[in-house]
């Protein structure tokens, strides 16, 4: 039995869970998420808990059991608390700003880089260099943060670029002087 898959998911009072054919919809104060459920997995509600069970013990059913439970738990947490990722922009003259539904990054290229902010995501920028990506969908928050991070990955020689807050960059020594 999957140690993660057999754990019940507590449902807060502000969250509504609706089950359809192959999909579980979770709606809360922050938004609404639909999570697909594979055919080998069954979900049901007992009291204030959402339980995930598998039909048989095949290898694929065992693999999907814990995954489905984790995705549903992330959906419940997302619509109640939300998720956020923080990034720092390091470099002289590097900055970012939000203009309507676009985030604009000036990070050492000859042109500014514009990013369309998807629905369900909020991007806030403090002091022109600290970017916070927040939303209720964990996958989408992580994907937008990864896109911003990929604009200019941290340089191991000078340490310039876009890095996650708290990310440790292993610095390399430059050329040795003669």
């Amino acid at each position: 039995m999957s140690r993660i898959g057999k754990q019940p998911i507590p449902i807060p009072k502000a969250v509504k869970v609706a089950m359809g054919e192959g999909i579980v919809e979770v709606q809360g104060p922050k938004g609404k998420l639909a999570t697909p459920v594979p055919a080998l997995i069954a979900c049901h509600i007992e009291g204030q808990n959402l339980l995930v069970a598998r039909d048989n013990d095949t290898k694929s059913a065992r693999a999907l059991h814990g995954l489905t439970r984790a995705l549903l738990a992330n959906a419940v947490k997302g619509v109640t608390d939300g998720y956020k990722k923080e990034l720092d922009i390091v470099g002289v003259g590097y900055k970012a700003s939000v203009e309507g539904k676009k985030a604009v990054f000036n990070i050492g290229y000859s042109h500014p880089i514009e990013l369309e902010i998807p629905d369900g995501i909020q991007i806030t920028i403090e002091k022109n260099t600290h970017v916070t990506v927040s939303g209720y969908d964990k996958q989408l928050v992580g994907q937008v943060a990864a896109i911003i991070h990929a604009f200019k990955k941290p340089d191991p020689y000078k340490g310039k670029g876009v890095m996650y807050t708290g990310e440790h960059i292993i610095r390399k020594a430059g050329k040795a002087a003669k």
Side-chain angles (χ1 to χ4, degrees):
M1 192 68 161
S2 171
R3 283 182 271 178
I4 292 174
K6 68 183 179 183
Q7 295 175 356
I9 303 167
I11 302 172
K13 290 187 179 4
V15 175
K16 293 179 183 145
V17 177
M19 289 186 229
E21 189 65 34
I23 200 160
V24 174
E25 291 184 353
V26 182
Q27 186 171 2
K30 298 245 182 208
K32 181 178 181 180
L33 286 173
T35 304
V37 177
L40 299 172
I41 306 297
C43 297
H44 58 280
I45 298 174
E46 280 186 14
Q48 285 291 66
N49 290 325
L50 177 62
L51 299 174
V52 180
R54 62 178 182 249
D55 294 340
N56 54 37
D57 273 345
T58 62
K59 188 173 184 177
S60 59
R62 290 194 315 260
L64 292 171
H65 189 199
L67 171 72
T68 304
R69 191 258 176 215
L71 292 175
L72 289 171
N74 288 342
V76 170
K77 183 179 184 287
V79 297
T80 53
D81 301 332
Y83 291 99
K84 74 176 186 176
K85 291 257 188 185
E86 296 181 356
L87 299 108
D88 290 318
I89 300 172
V90 179
V92 176
Y94 289 11
K95 61 184 178 178
S97 62
V98 175
E99 299 171 1
K101 288 291 286 175
K102 288 185 180 179
V104 180
F105 298 90
N106 294 311
I107 48 178
Y109 296 117
S110 61
H111 59 284
I113 298 173
E114 293 183 352
L115 173 70
E116 277 290 323
I117 301 173
D119 292 335
I121 295 292
Q122 296 83 34
I123 295 180
T124 56
I125 298 171
E126 301 163 12
K127 300 179 187 173
N128 291 334
T129 59
H130 186 77
V131 181
T132 304
V133 180
S134 59
Y136 57 86
D137 187 354
K138 185 176 186 177
Q139 188 274 331
L140 191 57
V141 169
Q143 184 65 43
V144 171
I147 289 170
I148 294 171
H149 184 259
F151 286 157
K152 185 115 178 173
K153 291 191 176 169
D155 178 33
Y157 295 99
K158 294 185 179 179
K160 300 189 320 184
V162 181
M163 60 188 72
Y164 293 106
T165 301
E167 180 181 11
H168 179 69
I169 305 300
I170 298 173
R171 300 290 298 270
K172 292 182 179 180
K175 289 184 179 178
K178 286 188 176 182

